[in-house]
Amino acid sequence: MDLRAALASCRLLAIVRGGDPDAALRTVLTLAEEGVELIEVSLSGADALTVLARARKELGPGRPLGAGTVLTAADAHAAHRAGAGFAVTPGLGTGVDTALDLGMPVLAGVLTPTDVIAAEARGAAALKLFPAAGAGGTAYLKALRGPFPGAAFVPVGGVDVTAARDYLAAGATAVGVGSPLVGDAADGGSITDLRERARAFRAAVRTGAWAEGPA
């Protein structure tokens, strides 16, 4: 898949991390039903590889589905076997290179200009700016875009509906959203509430100048 193009088109990456594997699977499937096209299952969740494999079986081979928190080469291999089509990392560990070797595009975690240079040199499809809020939010994103105007940044960490709009307006290609979107659904919480949050986020990322075309 062309992960950068998918991020630019969808503008939203949902991050599912839960303590209840069955609830996490329901969360993935519900998000897909609500039109959230890009979903990652974090490997730090309970029995995440099983969740990922079951989600892949339910969604079919053509639906974008990624593995998050890919830290090591072993993580990348396990995610690939479970059916992940792309990998998301919090930093630039060995999982980046192994995922790329396996043919999985990578959304690589970066924070500093040095990280950006290293991630792009290694062939990352896009750059996960993490933790975005702690780094300085939209002001920091704008600062990074100065020397790297062509980079595809995806802020992650503390992104609520308002912040999603702000990051996109500041030039982000997409936003990655975990708990503000998923809430407690992946731990057995309300699916009805999850649907409402999904609709709110989808509306937010479709509205604005960024909706006119891919970044």
Side-chain angles (χ1 to χ4, degrees):
M1 66 174 294
D2 186 336
L3 180 58
R4 178 170 177 148
L7 288 164
S9 175
C10 299
R11 305 291 185 179
L12 175 65
L13 170 66
I15 303 165
V16 177
R17 177 188 294 106
D20 180 334
D22 289 332
L25 177 62
R26 285 195 300 273
T27 298
V28 171
L29 299 180
T30 299
L31 290 169
E33 289 172 3
E34 289 297 329
V36 178
E37 295 292 333
L38 291 174
I39 303 170
E40 72 166 86
V41 176
S42 172
L43 298 188
S44 61
D47 203 9
L49 290 170
T50 299
V51 174
L52 183 58
R54 291 172 67 192
R56 169 54 71 211
K57 182 177 180 180
E58 292 286 340
L59 294 174
R63 184 70 179 244
L65 181 65
T69 323
V70 175
L71 302 176
T72 66
D75 288 339
H77 280 290
H80 186 257
R81 287 193 300 270
F86 62 93
V88 184
T89 75
L92 300 178
T94 57
V96 173
D97 299 315
T98 302
L100 290 169
D101 288 343
L102 291 168
M104 291 191 292
V106 176
L107 173 58
V110 302
L111 185 60
T112 68
T114 299
D115 292 341
V116 174
I117 293 168
E120 294 199 322
R122 290 163 79 168
L127 307 173
K128 171 181 171 179
L129 182 59
F130 176 79
T138 56
Y140 187 62
L141 172 62
K142 290 176 181 178
L144 276 181
R145 284 183 43 114
F148 306 108
F153 287 105
V154 182
V156 177
V159 180
D160 59 15
V161 168
T162 299
R165 294 192 188 98
D166 291 345
Y167 280 120
L168 292 171
T173 295
V175 291
V177 187
S179 56
L181 168 58
V182 173
D184 62 355
D187 296 309
S190 171
I191 291 298
T192 299
D193 291 348
L194 173 64
R195 290 187 186 278
E196 292 177 358
R197 291 190 296 270
R199 291 166 189 169
F201 270 97
R202 288 198 67 221
V205 302
R206 287 198 307 262
T207 305
W210 55 86
E212 295 175 1

